[in-house]
Amino acid sequence: MSASRRSGTTGELGPDEPGREGSDGSDLLAALLDGMDAALCAFDADGVVTHWNREAERILGWTAAEAVGRRGLAGWAVRSADAEEVEGRLMSAMHAPGRQVHEFALLTKDGGRVLVRTQSAAVRGPDGKPAGVYCAFSEVHVQIDLERSIALSEALFEDASWGVVLVDADLRPAVVNAHAARALGTGRTSVLGRPLGELLAQGVEELESALTHVLAEGAPPAPAEIWVAVRTPEGERRRCWRSGFLRLSSPLAEEPVPLGVGWLFQDVTEAKQREQEAALLRFRAQQLHRAARAAAECEDPGEAATVHLDFALAGFADHALIDRVAGGAVQDGAAGGPVRLVRVAATPSGAPGPSGFAGQAGLPVRYGTGHPALQCAERAGAVRASAGAVPAEEARAWALARQWPPDVVHALCAALRSRGRTLGVVTFLRGAGRSAFERSDATYAEDVAVRIAAALDLAELAASAGERP
């Protein structure tokens, strides 16, 4: 219990003294002192202890009744050999401006020693003159832990190489560090209090779901990778953030009261893209290997060509077509006129299934001038085409005008090359649910086209050999 010297006497203050004059003020003072997290003692101008709170009793073991009224600390709270120096440094604060910070070794009631850090300052009377000194102290390791926590917090919000965001219970950013502000494409202050939906074009639902879960259940056991699209002046940027979450609770409440969520994230977009590309390359290499093994068991080279086509479709396209050059293969630069193409095989456009042979009559496909397949045959190189961001009806008309299934919006044509000649074109088609073909897709399509061309060339040689007498 806090205690104080009043009117030249020493006594213990507490709520059980209603009869004293000014007891309301004494009770309030006692409650305030005893509610402090730091230990506190005070001395009058003669060095006599006037106040001693519960935290001081907890640290040193001396009760207020035992401490208040003693002159100095010698022999009980400080070793006699150290008392003069310690008391001198404490009482010097009475005539010094501001606060003074010292570290001392104090004695506990059971004879142990405790290293404490003190902050002392003068207490002034009504006339403004120094009337004593108050001293707040805590164990050094507790103070160091506090300072480390504060230093860590400041470092996270200033120098951290990953994003740190404190999100309040309404799922709005309350504090944002510099790294996170750059990742969100905005300033540290302009992001505060704004809904996450104003900052992110995609991934908001997943992020808010994670934050809500953390508020209700606590931190997840492992980081989560969340794909988002950030709104920037240059447009939307798709990023992958590896995110960790911590539920923040008030240390001052008896029951855990969630203050919000600490969200730490790091941009791993490039690493994830490399992982995805590596996985895609492995899958495609395995598909080429499986297709080669299956095609090797086909007696008919034409059937082997469709086997290669079917294996290539998996995860790559929705439809595929094989067109041969009408009249036989064309040497580079030897075409006497416009190239015409005849349909050889196609995948079903209505339902999934294996490729089938088509165009037994050998009639040319009605491709218009400038058709991607014709350009591919003439250039002997891959050609990509896309309907673009147009309404569904316009995309349907675009596909039908090119003799493709109506749900097609992206196309990739690769030349069928064998023995220095162009045998035809293989066309891969994607619907609206897939992304447009990229350069890496063209490389894979050319690998498939080489195998299909070899099978078709072998079929042509076999047919020619069979026609000979």
Side-chain angles (χ1 to χ4, degrees):
M1 207 60 164
S2 299
S4 172
R5 294 178 70 246
R6 298 186 306 158
S7 304
T9 62
T10 301
E12 187 174 339
L13 295 179
D16 299 327
E17 301 175 302
R20 286 191 182 180
E21 180 183 354
S23 61
D24 289 345
S26 299
D27 292 346
L28 176 59
L29 176 60
L32 291 174
L33 295 180
D34 286 339
M36 293 176 61
D37 292 331
L40 184 135
C41 64
F43 305 87
D44 63 14
D46 297 325
V48 176
V49 178
T50 60
H51 294 80
W52 190 267
N53 72 348
R54 285 191 186 275
E55 185 65 11
E57 178 181 343
R58 186 194 68 79
I59 294 176
L60 298 180
W62 300 99
T63 66
E66 294 170 321
V68 172
R70 289 178 180 262
R71 181 180 295 275
L73 304 173
W76 63 284
V78 176
R79 292 194 312 172
S80 299
D82 301 332
E84 182 177 354
E85 179 188 359
V86 171
E87 292 175 5
R89 293 167 70 180
L90 285 177
M91 298 305 294
S92 66
M94 190 165 57
H95 304 287
R99 292 179 297 175
Q100 292 188 342
V101 178
H102 303 286
E103 289 186 2
F104 305 125
L106 299 182
L107 295 178
T108 62
K109 188 176 182 179
D110 58 8
R113 300 183 72 192
V114 178
L115 183 63
V116 300
R117 179 173 295 176
T118 67
Q119 293 187 38
S120 53
V123 176
R124 302 191 179 277
D127 57 358
K129 295 181 180 181
V133 173
Y134 79 83
C135 172
F137 63 92
S138 60
E139 296 174 82
V140 166
H141 71 86
V142 175
Q143 183 70 20
I144 291 176
D145 288 345
L146 175 61
E147 292 179 3
R148 284 175 178 160
S149 298
I150 295 173
L152 174 61
S153 176
E154 292 181 350
L156 285 175
F157 287 103
E158 294 296 336
D159 306 321
S161 59
W162 55 87
V164 181
V165 181
L166 297 190
V167 182
D168 63 21
D170 295 326
L171 306 186
R172 300 192 179 203
V175 185
V176 178
N177 76 342
H179 187 96
R182 288 193 298 269
L184 292 168
T186 184
R188 293 184 62 179
T189 56
S190 59
V191 70
L192 303 182
R194 294 172 59 185
L196 294 173
E198 294 183 5
L199 305 171
L200 303 175
Q202 298 177 15
V204 179
E205 295 81 4
E206 185 177 1
L207 178 57
E208 289 185 341
S209 175
L211 294 171
T212 302
H213 172 82
V214 174
L215 281 172
E217 304 293 336
E225 292 176 351
I226 301 177
W227 282 93
V228 300
V230 183
R231 291 191 175 97
T232 67
E234 295 77 22
E236 296 181 2
R237 289 187 304 136
R238 194 161 181 264
R239 314 303 296 171
C240 180
W241 290 340
R242 181 172 293 151
S243 303
F245 303 94
L246 299 169
R247 181 166 63 178
L248 306 179
S249 300
S250 173
L252 304 179
E254 294 183 3
E255 296 293 333
V257 177
L259 297 177
V261 177
W263 170 32
L264 292 81
F265 66 89
Q266 192 171 27
D267 194 317
V268 294
T269 307
E270 295 182 2
K272 292 299 295 183
Q273 288 176 340
R274 286 195 296 268
E275 289 178 9
Q276 292 174 351
E277 290 170 1
L280 183 60
L281 287 175
R282 286 195 300 269
F283 174 75
R284 289 178 176 178
Q286 291 171 356
Q287 287 298 98
L288 291 174
H289 174 73
R290 294 190 185 104
R293 292 287 300 273
E297 302 300 323
C298 297
E299 295 184 6
D300 180 6
E303 182 184 353
T306 60
V307 166
H308 283 291
L309 191 67
D310 290 335
F311 272 92
L313 277 179
F316 184 67
D318 299 315
H319 309 290
L321 315 168
I322 298 178
D323 298 325
R324 289 202 63 168
V325 175
V330 178
Q331 296 282 352
D332 292 347
V339 175
R340 295 186 302 166
L341 298 174
V342 176
R343 180 66 41 80
V344 175
T347 55
S349 59
S355 304
F357 291 100
Q360 300 296 327
L363 298 176
V365 185
R366 294 181 297 105
Y367 287 151
T369 303
H371 191 282
L374 298 178
Q375 294 181 36
C376 176
E378 293 169 358
R379 300 175 185 175
V383 175
R384 288 177 286 168
S386 179
V390 296
E393 288 301 319
E394 292 186 25
R396 178 184 176 87
W398 177 85
L400 293 176
R402 287 157 180 77
Q403 309 301 313
W404 292 331
D407 59 338
V408 169
V409 294
H410 309 296
L412 170 60
C413 301
L416 300 175
R417 299 280 296 173
S418 178
R419 295 189 292 154
R421 303 171 303 153
T422 299
L423 278 65
V425 175
V426 58
T427 302
F428 296 99
L429 304 169
R430 288 178 176 175
R434 294 178 180 265
S435 60
F437 289 100
E438 299 178 356
R439 187 179 299 275
S440 59
D441 297 324
T443 301
Y444 178 62
E446 289 172 344
D447 286 343
V448 176
V450 167
R451 289 161 170 77
I452 294 175
L456 293 179
D457 197 9
L458 180 59
E460 182 180 328
L461 292 173
S464 299
E467 292 175 359
R468 293 174 184 173

